[in-house]
Amino acid sequence: MLKTDLSKYDNSWYKPGSKVKIILWFLVNSCFINNYLPIPVVVKVMILRLFGAKIGQGVMIKPKVNIKYPWFLSIGDHVWIGEEVWIDNYTWVTLANNTCISQGAMLLTGNHDYKSTGFGLMIGEIKLEEGAWIGAKSVVCPNVTVYSHSVLSVGSVATKDLDSYSIYQGNPATKVRDRRILS
């Protein structure tokens, strides 16, 4: 029976940017985005745009947000990103208009191939469509689309696409009811 051998791990194929760009982003992220200092949102947005993020109007970015690579991030209008959100974007994360990511939620575009002895890196995009809401301490896994106005409730894990106007709960998340918006 084969066993995992982490000495065989090799993600040399993955090149998200130059070493200088990645190190510079790590330092800037630590100083301006991923901390509890009261940095104005306009400054955070300006910095993220300088590093290649596409960001719309009326965006709210709370303190202590961690973004792996802003050049793989697209944010629409009136998006809210809560405290301690982790956008671990090895590849594209798209947040459409009026989406909300609550405190401590994680968007994970990377994982490891547990079937491979070398535990190889696997990446997949995440898309949140218009009006989607990711609850506090929830996780969205690679290759997941959260369709229009879907809700992933507190502490849940989305391993598959979430249908429009639906509420999901649990690990793995399953649909528990329809979402009805009253006013």
Side-chain angles (χ1 to χ4, degrees):
M1 178 175 285
L2 291 176
K3 297 180 179 180
T4 300
D5 181 356
L6 296 179
S7 70
K8 294 182 179 179
Y9 180 77
D10 178 18
N11 71 341
S12 61
W13 61 269
Y14 180 70
K15 302 201 183 323
S18 73
K19 296 275 188 215
V20 171
K21 182 178 182 180
I22 292 168
I23 291 168
L24 183 59
W25 170 246
F26 176 81
L27 295 171
V28 170
N29 186 36
S30 297
C31 293
F32 295 97
I33 312 293
N34 189 13
N35 64 55
Y36 284 110
L37 295 172
I39 307 290
V41 174
V42 66
V43 172
K44 293 178 186 182
V45 167
M46 179 190 70
I47 289 168
L48 287 165
R49 284 179 178 151
L50 282 172
F51 277 89
K54 297 170 179 71
I55 302 178
Q57 302 300 309
V59 171
M60 172 53 68
I61 302 170
K62 293 290 196 168
K64 198 70 175 148
V65 170
N66 190 26
I67 298 169
K68 176 75 80 181
Y69 301 126
W71 47 93
F72 292 137
L73 183 61
S74 178
I75 302 175
D77 296 334
H78 308 289
V79 170
W80 293 357
I81 301 173
E83 292 90 348
E84 297 184 5
V85 164
W86 183 11
I87 301 175
D88 196 33
N89 56 332
Y90 286 92
T91 188
W92 280 98
V93 168
T94 304
L95 310 175
N97 297 342
N98 300 298
T99 55
C100 178
I101 307 171
S102 295
Q103 304 88 330
M106 298 171 60
L107 305 183
L108 305 176
T109 63
N111 205 341
H112 296 279
D113 183 358
Y114 67 87
K115 296 177 185 175
S116 164
T117 59
F119 211 50
L121 176 66
M122 302 183 312
I123 60 174
E125 294 182 12
I126 291 175
K127 297 175 186 167
L128 273 59
E129 289 191 349
E130 172 100 22
W133 178 14
I134 306 304
K137 302 287 185 182
S138 291
V139 177
V140 179
C141 294
N143 293 310
V144 168
T145 297
V146 179
Y147 286 98
S148 177
H149 295 85
S150 185
V151 175
L152 181 63
S153 65
V154 172
S156 297
V157 180
T159 59
K160 296 180 180 171
D161 293 350
L162 306 185
D163 293 336
S164 296
Y165 288 92
S166 298
I167 299 174
Y168 286 79
Q169 182 176 34
N171 180 7
T174 57
K175 182 178 176 180
V176 293
R177 68 183 143 284
D178 292 333
R179 180 182 185 188
R180 301 193 197 300
I181 299 174
L182 301 175
S183 60

